Amino acid sequence: MAAARRWALALARASVPVALGLLLWVAMAGGEQDRQQTLKALPEASPEILDQRRRHNELIMAALREAAETDENVARRAVPWRK
């Protein structure tokens, strides 16, 4: 009888951290959904802003491509080097 009582007590003690972890996980998962909804509603997600970012990324990739294809140190160029 004493062995069963010790086993039950050990099981109860082990279940506390598991239950706490589960509660924290559920709390964080709910916050993640709210964060996703907030990000979708931001004005930065407008098509105009996304087009501007896409164009900016294209310019950066063109500059990186040019730097990779040449032996010249493009970092030493004069400041207005944009195309």
Side-chain angles (χ1 to χ4, degrees), residues 72-78:
E72 180 187 353
N73 187 350
V74 294
R76 301 268 184 207
R77 285 188 186 172

Side-chain angles (χ1 to χ4, degrees), residues 65-74 77:
R65 208 173 295 116
E66 180 185 354
E69 292 170 354
T70 183
D71 290 333
E72 180 187 353
N73 187 350
V74 294
R77 285 188 186 172

Side-chain angles (χ1 to χ4, degrees), residues 4 10 17 25 30 32 37 73:
W25 182 76
E32 179 67 17
Q37 292 298 326
N73 187 350

Side-chain angles (χ1 to χ4, degrees), residues 32-49:
E32 179 67 17
Q33 290 173 352
D34 292 340
R35 189 180 72 83
Q36 290 292 331
Q37 292 298 326
T38 303
L39 287 175
K40 286 181 184 177
L42 286 177
E44 290 88 17
S46 70
E48 297 85 16
I49 300 288

Side-chain angles (χ1 to χ4, degrees), residues 8-22:
L9 184 61
L11 185 63
R13 286 182 181 166
S15 66
V16 170
V18 172
L20 181 62
L22 182 63

